[in-house]
Amino acid sequence: MSDNGKKKQKNTLETQEPVITRYDLKMQRRKEQKRKEQRDKRIARVVGILVLTGLACWLISFPIRSWLTVHGTYVVVADEKVSRVEFDYNYYTVLNNYMSTNGYLLSLMGLDLSGDLSAQMYSDTLTWQDYFEEMAVNNLMTGIAMRRDMEAAGFTYDESAEYESFVAVLEQAAKEAGVSLKEYVKDFYGPYATLDRVEGYIRENLKTSAYLEAVAKDRAPSDADIQAYYEENKNSYDRVDYHMIQVDAQLPTEPTELADPVEETDETASDDGEESVYEPSQAEIDAAMAIAKEEAEALLDTVATEGEVYTNWAITSLNSYIRDWLSDSERQKGDTAVIENPYSHCYYAVSFDNRYINPEISINVRAVLTEDGNGQELLDEWAAGEATEDSFAALADRYNNPMYINAEGGLIEGIDAKALEEEMADWLTDGTRAYGDTTVITTSDSAMTYVFYYIGAGDPVWKVDINDILINDIKTKYVSSLTEGLTVSDPHHHLHYLEVRAQEEAAAAAAGDNDSEDGTAEGDAEEDSSVG
């Protein structure tokens, strides 16, 4: 073959299309189908991931939203972020305390706790919900400020026993209410509350309460402080003895010549058909009172010997018409007076006998309080041992629930017997009572059982009362000093009362500016007048 022939054959081989058989076409289709299936699987996988991711985010949003509600910032108090759970804990705490303190008065206040508190007005500008939210914020401020001060002071306190007792009280309350502890905690502390979530708040409250008592003890008033307070408030603690005769004015029951003129109508019967009571005219009342006054004045010489005797009467319990006269610091034994009571249409012939400080003495005891009806068993256990005051103190520490009696050794000092239920008061004030006497008393209205160990007389009641007042004043001033300048911010606009308070402050400021401008104008007018 020539070179040209070889080249032509070579070119033919290089440019000729390959021959595609049926088999080749079949294998090609299989390869393309496989690639398509693989591509579809990849697309399906990506789409599936996207769909599943979206669904997961939607489902996860529920616990996230719940977590944010529970742990996210609801309000900011004293520069600290407060969650919804913590705010609710304080809100329901102040609400529950308010209910327990004023329960029987709530209806008189127009408060329906079963209704919407945000739709019931506490004042002209605040709803009841506003009021309790403001109290909750104040409670939070106090707790935060005290915790900071407590930590700075290095104060430590083991609240474990008190917390366990508190939980036991919650469990018993839930049982009595016929609900689970979980349900009861939600009812008591808010819809997002669980015992685990509020445990820290409860424990902190127990610690700060103990710290507050320690602060008050360190700053306790002296005898001189107590005496000074008494001197400024004697009428609140002094008693008086006096004699008195009441002379009632004899008001006419039918018209006299002093009666008011009336029209010629039938006024002998009331709207319901019954005979009406005659209402005397002012002239008739004045005439009857003048006669009563003369009779009372005629009794002044004998009232000290023949009048009714009133002994050991608290000045604060006297009616207002005789209180001022009897409590006058210049009053002397044997002073007499005729005092008018226009409301009751009478006069009093009064003789002053004596004035003195409340002589009642408080009582000191040790006590064990039990709900289990086993008071006699506890007393028998004590009697079977050393049967001393120290052993009773040990018994009290062993069995007392700190939520009820948290005093060491069950020691309760300064008891005013008048404030106790009758069974306890009668036993404690029995004239034969002596140191070391014991008893078991189950109260008639609460089914609580007290085991008492009598110690003896304590400080005078008036001194105990003043000491308590001064202690509370010390606590109030201490807390106020800590919370002064602390603020609250509401980034999510949950607290409506803040808007109300801001509007009130703005209105007061505007009124002050107006008063200032008016004062300036008046001053300018006066200056112009003087110059003229």
Side-chain angles (χ1 to χ4, degrees):
M1 183 177 294
S2 63
D3 293 339
N4 291 335
K6 292 181 179 178
K7 289 179 181 178
K8 184 177 180 180
Q9 183 179 11
K10 183 177 179 181
N11 292 337
T12 302
L13 291 174
E14 288 176 350
T15 61
Q16 185 178 4
E17 292 291 337
V19 177
I20 300 177
T21 67
R22 290 182 179 177
Y23 176 79
D24 292 332
L25 293 173
K26 181 178 180 181
M27 295 303 297
Q28 181 69 23
R29 284 196 297 270
R30 285 184 177 180
K31 290 180 180 178
E32 290 177 356
Q33 180 66 25
K34 187 174 182 180
R35 285 198 297 270
K36 182 176 182 298
E37 289 175 355
Q38 290 174 339
R39 184 193 66 188
D40 290 346
K41 285 182 180 180
R42 288 196 298 271
I43 292 172
R45 188 180 300 115
V46 172
V47 172
I49 290 172
L50 292 174
V51 171
L52 290 174
T53 301
L55 179 62
C57 289
W58 182 74
L59 292 174
I60 290 171
S61 70
F62 283 104
I64 286 178
R65 280 182 285 175
S66 178
W67 189 93
L68 289 174
T69 299
V70 171
H71 301 287
T73 301
Y74 188 73
V75 294
V76 179
V77 178
D79 297 325
E80 292 195 11
K81 297 177 180 179
V82 175
S83 69
R84 174 66 184 272
V85 173
E86 185 175 4
F87 183 84
D88 281 355
Y89 170 79
N90 285 272
Y91 177 88
Y92 284 94
T93 294
V94 297
L95 174 59
N96 293 332
N97 288 342
Y98 193 88
M99 287 171 56
S100 64
T101 303
N102 304 291
Y104 69 99
L105 294 173
L106 296 183
S107 61
L108 298 177
M109 297 175 181
L111 176 59
D112 177 14
L113 291 172
S114 64
D116 182 0
L117 297 184
S118 67
Q120 302 177 59
M121 298 307 295
Y122 166 76
S123 66
D124 292 339
T125 55
L126 295 177
T127 67
W128 278 100
Q129 179 172 313
D130 294 332
Y131 173 70
F132 289 125
E133 286 180 344
E134 187 170 25
M135 290 178 68
V137 169
N138 292 337
N139 213 45
L140 278 161
M141 279 190 180
T142 298
I144 291 171
M146 287 184 59
R147 187 198 69 226
R148 292 171 178 173
D149 195 59
M150 177 177 66
E151 292 172 351
F155 179 83
T156 58
Y157 181 75
D158 184 1
E159 79 290 351
S160 300
E162 280 187 84
Y163 177 74
E164 291 172 5
S165 298
F166 185 81
V167 172
V169 171
L170 289 178
E171 290 173 339
Q172 180 62 31
K175 182 179 179 181
E176 292 175 358
V179 298
S180 67
L181 178 60
K182 182 179 180 179
E183 291 175 292
Y184 190 82
V185 169
K186 283 183 180 295
D187 289 340
F188 205 65
Y189 289 125
Y192 300 100
T194 65
L195 191 57
D196 287 341
R197 288 173 180 170
V198 300
E199 178 179 350
Y201 310 138
I202 295 172
R203 287 182 178 273
E204 186 172 299
N205 274 354
L206 294 172
K207 286 189 282 191
T208 53
S209 294
Y211 179 61
L212 182 59
E213 293 302 320
V215 170
K217 185 176 181 180
D218 287 342
R219 305 179 185 185
S222 65
D223 287 343
D225 295 330
I226 293 173
Q227 185 63 35
Y229 186 91
Y230 163 72
E231 295 295 338
E232 294 178 2
N233 301 274
K234 284 187 174 183
N235 285 354
S236 297
Y237 304 97
D238 281 0
R239 305 295 180 92
V240 290
D241 299 336
Y242 61 99
H243 286 71
M244 187 175 75
I245 301 175
Q246 179 174 326
V247 180
D248 296 314
Q250 301 302 308
L251 302 181
T253 58
E254 58 184 26
T256 69
E257 65 278 4
L258 297 175
D260 290 333
V262 295
E263 297 180 2
E264 294 295 331
T265 57
D266 182 9
E267 297 186 2
T268 60
S270 61
D271 292 338
D272 57 7
E274 295 183 1
E275 187 174 351
S276 62
V277 176
Y278 175 67
E279 295 290 342
S281 67
Q282 188 60 50
E284 289 175 319
I285 294 174
D286 292 343
M289 287 291 284
I291 295 172
K293 182 177 182 180
E294 291 178 2
E295 293 177 2
E297 290 173 341
L299 295 171
L300 288 181
D301 291 338
T302 59
V303 64
T305 55
E306 298 180 5
E308 185 172 354
V309 179
Y310 294 84
T311 304
N312 195 30
W313 276 71
I315 289 176
T316 53
S317 68
L318 299 173
N319 79 55
S320 59
Y321 298 103
I322 65 172
R323 183 191 304 135
D324 291 343
W325 185 82
L326 285 171
S327 63
D328 190 319
S329 60
E330 301 299 320
R331 194 63 53 230
Q332 299 292 321
K333 181 178 175 59
D335 287 352
T336 59
V338 170
I339 302 172
E340 179 185 14
N341 182 339
Y343 180 79
S344 298
H345 301 130
C346 68
Y347 279 90
Y348 305 113
V350 187
S351 173
F352 178 83
D353 299 333
N354 196 15
R355 173 173 176 160
Y356 45 90
I357 197 168
N358 181 6
E360 295 171 4
I361 300 298
S362 67
I363 299 165
N364 299 335
V365 300
R366 292 189 185 274
V368 181
L369 178 59
T370 174
E371 298 176 280
D372 301 328
N374 60 340
Q376 189 59 51
E377 295 176 16
L378 298 180
L379 187 59
D380 291 343
E381 177 183 333
W382 168 80
E386 297 178 0
T388 63
E389 182 180 347
D390 287 342
S391 66
F392 192 95
L395 183 84
D397 287 336
R398 191 158 57 250
Y399 290 107
N400 267 333
N401 184 329
M403 293 304 300
Y404 298 138
I405 298 181
N406 194 30
E408 184 176 353
L411 179 62
I412 305 176
E413 299 177 297
I415 298 174
D416 183 357
K418 295 196 305 301
L420 301 177
E421 295 181 53
E422 186 176 357
E423 301 100 314
M424 291 187 284
D426 288 346
W427 187 81
L428 291 172
T429 58
D430 189 315
T432 64
R433 194 61 53 233
Y435 170 78
D437 286 352
T438 58
T439 192
V440 176
I441 298 175
T442 299
T443 57
S444 57
D445 63 345
S446 64
M448 302 289 281
T449 299
Y450 293 83
V451 185
F452 281 127
Y453 182 98
Y454 185 83
I455 296 176
D459 288 330
V461 169
W462 68 267
K463 189 173 184 179
V464 173
D465 288 346
I466 293 177
N467 182 74
D468 290 345
I469 290 173
L470 294 180
I471 286 290
N472 286 333
D473 187 51
I474 288 169
K475 292 178 180 178
T476 300
K477 290 179 178 178
Y478 160 71
V479 171
S480 296
S481 69
L482 293 180
T483 57
E484 186 176 0
L486 298 184
T487 60
V488 55
S489 61
D490 184 20
H492 304 296
H493 307 288
H494 294 303
L495 305 178
H496 172 256
Y497 88 85
L498 288 176
E499 299 176 15
V500 175
R501 295 302 188 203
Q503 291 170 2
E504 291 174 346
E505 291 176 5
D513 291 341
N514 290 336
D515 290 343
S516 177
E517 291 174 2
D518 292 344
T520 302
E522 290 175 3
D524 292 342
E526 290 177 1
E527 184 176 352
D528 292 341
S529 175
S530 63
V531 172

